[in-house]
Each structure stands twice: as structure tokens, then as C-alpha cells.
């Protein structure tokens, strides 16, 4: 079955960028619809962006447009999410998740702490 | 601020039935987009509980059921068990935002 393994925790200073990876095993990345979801401490889930299977395009949440970049390395079946211009409010757990009708497989989450 | 509104909390005694509402609008649930539900136990990643409005993935007990009507959707948990104590989120697509959205989340407490 498909498994998603994410990179480890990060601590960044305000203004820096962070790049989180999500390694896919048990399937080919190109056949999956990958999404990224953020969860701030004690808060709810927030969709950041992902692959829209209906039109084959990658789409980003309006809130993150211009600050987030999602890429994929098909040679290693690894997806990446890079968030720039970090601020303290970006402190959160970031999840990768896949699914075409609901997100049915999730990574374990990567904690990103933004602190001076 | 999410466009899908859920009650902050619901509670029930073991064995009881509880429902969680997910209220949207004509640009998401009312536009015909599917609603999915997730369960998140403390300190863990979310788990898909219901997909496509009312379908259960393999392994999800039939105590969990989902429905959709108009601009709203609901998740019902019957025969409430202690292990059901968790946060629950609905999710859909919104065409005015051109992206996916999660509900505000509901904490279920088993009394």
C-alpha cells in the first residue's frame, strides 16, 4: 500500500524559507494527487495547495499564493513544499496527503517552528 | 476563517448517537461538490472517515455515516465509543476560492 514519509522537524528564523519533503513508497508519484495541509498549534486543518485531478493542474490556496511552491521529483517519487518569507504565524505541522476523492493517505507530519 | 462551518464541540454518552453538521454555501457544498470527513486523534495525522458524501473506506466501522443535502452535510456516529473521542473535519471544494477547504472542526467528547 501507499506510504508517505516526511522530512524531519525544522526551526527557522522569520523571513527564511523552509522546504519539506514527502517520499512516496508503494506507488508512483505521477499517478497520485498530492496535497499539502497545514495545522497551527491548537488550530484546525488548512489546505495549502495540491494537484487538481479534474484539470491536471496544481492549484494553491489564495492565502498562500506567491509564498508557496510545490514541486515533485518523479525520479525519486518525492514531493516538496517550500514556504518562503516565514513568520511566527507559520509555526505549524505540515502534512502531505494523497487522494482523488478525499485524502486517504497522509504523511506523519513535519513540525516547522518559526522563531527568532 | 473557513467557509465550512462546524459546531466547535459535541458530546454524548457511550452508546448514544451524535451528529456533526457542516454548513457551506452555493459555491461549495451547494454547488454539488463532494464532502469528505476526517477523524484526527490527538497527536496524530488525520484519517479519512467518509469520502464522496457517504462512502466509508475499508476498515471504517459502519457506526460512521455521512449525508449531504443542499448546502450542508452531516456526519453521524452511532453507538458512540470512548475511542471516538477526537476532532472531526469536513472538507469540500469551493469554486469561488478555486481550491479545497476544510471545515472549522468539531471536538467530540464521550461523557
Amino acid at each position: 500500500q501507499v506510504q508517505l514519509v516526511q522530512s524531519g522537524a525544522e526551526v527557522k528564523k522569520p523571513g527564511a524559507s523552509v522546504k519539506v519533503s514527502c517520499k512516496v513508497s508503494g506507488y508512483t508519484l505521477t499517478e497520485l494527487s498530492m496535497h499539502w495541509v497545514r495545522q497551527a498549534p491548537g488550530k484546525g486543518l488548512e489546505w495549502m495547495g495540491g494537484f487538481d485531478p479534474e484539470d491536471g493542474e496544481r492549484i494553491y490556496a489564495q492565502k498562500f499564493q506567491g509564498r508557496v511552491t510545490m514541486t515533485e521529483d518523479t525520479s525519486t517519487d518525492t514531493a516538496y513544499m517550500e514556504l518562503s518569507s516565514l513568520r511566527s504565524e507559520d509555526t505549524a505541522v505540515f502534512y502531505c496527503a494523497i487522494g482523488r476523492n478525499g485524502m486517504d493517505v497522509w504523511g506523519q507530519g513535519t513540525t516547522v517552528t518559526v522563531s527568532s | 476563517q473557513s467557509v465550512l462551518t462546524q459546531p466547535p464541540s459535541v458530546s454524548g454518552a457511550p452508546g448514544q448517537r451524535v451528529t456533526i453538521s457542516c454548513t457551506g454555501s452555493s459555491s461549495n457544498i451547494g454547488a454539488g461538490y463532494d464532502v469528505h470527513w476526517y477523524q484526527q486523534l490527538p497527536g496524530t495525522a488525520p484519517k479519512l472517515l467518509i469520502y464522496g458524501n457517504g462512502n466509508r473506506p475499508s476498515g471504517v466501522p459502519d457506526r460512521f455515516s455521512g449525508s449531504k443535502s443542499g448546502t450542508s452535510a452531516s456526519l453521524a456516529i452511532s453507538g458512540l465509543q470512548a475511542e471516538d473521542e477526537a476532532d472531526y473535519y469536513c472538507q469540500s471544494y469551493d469554486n469561488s476560492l478555486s481550491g479545497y477547504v476544510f471545515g472549522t472542526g468539531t471536538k467530540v467528547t464521550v461523557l
Side-chain angles (χ1 to χ4, degrees):
Chain A
Q1 67 276 18
V2 183
Q3 284 190 313
L4 306 179
V5 178
Q6 298 183 223
S7 48
E10 303 259 15
V11 178
K12 296 291 182 181
K13 293 194 180 301
S17 297
V18 68
K19 193 170 186 177
V20 179
S21 68
C22 176
K23 167 74 174 170
V24 178
S25 62
Y27 227 85
T28 303
L29 183 55
T30 53
E31 299 178 340
L32 303 172
S33 293
M34 179 69 71
H35 298 271
W36 291 88
V37 176
R38 182 174 85 168
Q39 186 170 36
K43 302 296 184 181
L45 303 175
E46 187 173 30
W47 179 79
M48 299 179 69
F51 189 80
D52 186 343
E54 293 199 10
D55 59 16
E57 297 282 326
R58 182 175 290 111
I59 53 177
Y60 297 131
Q62 293 176 3
K63 175 177 181 177
F64 297 100
Q65 281 182 5
R67 219 164 52 97
V68 69
T69 304
M70 296 173 188
T71 56
E72 297 174 350
D73 182 344
T74 55
S75 68
T76 61
D77 286 321
T78 303
Y80 298 91
M81 185 284 299
E82 184 170 21
L83 187 63
S84 62
S85 302
L86 291 170
R87 34 209 188 231
S88 58
E89 311 89 86
D90 292 317
T91 293
V93 176
F94 293 80
Y95 294 101
C96 59
I98 57 170
R100 290 180 178 267
N101 194 11
M103 300 172 199
D104 56 357
V105 181
W106 292 68
Q108 82 276 20
T110 296
T111 300
V112 175
T113 302
V114 183
S115 173
S116 54
Chain B
Q1 187 169 348
S2 176
V3 296
L4 301 181
T5 302
Q6 300 178 230
S9 63
V10 298
S11 61
Q16 283 191 330
R17 182 178 187 269
V18 297
T19 61
I20 301 169
S21 60
C22 175
T23 303
S25 67
S26 58
S27 63
N28 40 69
I29 299 175
Y33 295 107
D34 282 343
V35 177
H36 317 295
W37 290 89
Y38 301 85
Q39 176 192 60
Q40 186 177 31
L41 298 170
T44 68
K47 168 190 170 183
L48 181 64
L49 204 61
I50 296 287
Y51 68 94
N53 305 315
N55 301 291
R56 283 184 308 276
S58 174
V60 173
D62 59 7
R63 304 185 292 104
F64 295 92
S65 62
S67 63
K68 182 181 112 169
S69 178
T71 58
S72 295
S74 291
L75 172 72
I77 310 173
S78 59
L80 197 62
Q81 299 181 6
E83 66 215 47
D84 299 332
E85 198 160 276
D87 293 323
Y88 293 82
Y89 297 89
C90 60
Q91 180 241 314
S92 186
Y93 181 87
D94 189 282
N95 58 29
S96 67
L97 296 175
S98 298
Y100 294 89
V101 288
F102 283 97
T104 50
T106 298
K107 182 174 181 59
V108 170
T109 300
V110 182
L111 302 172

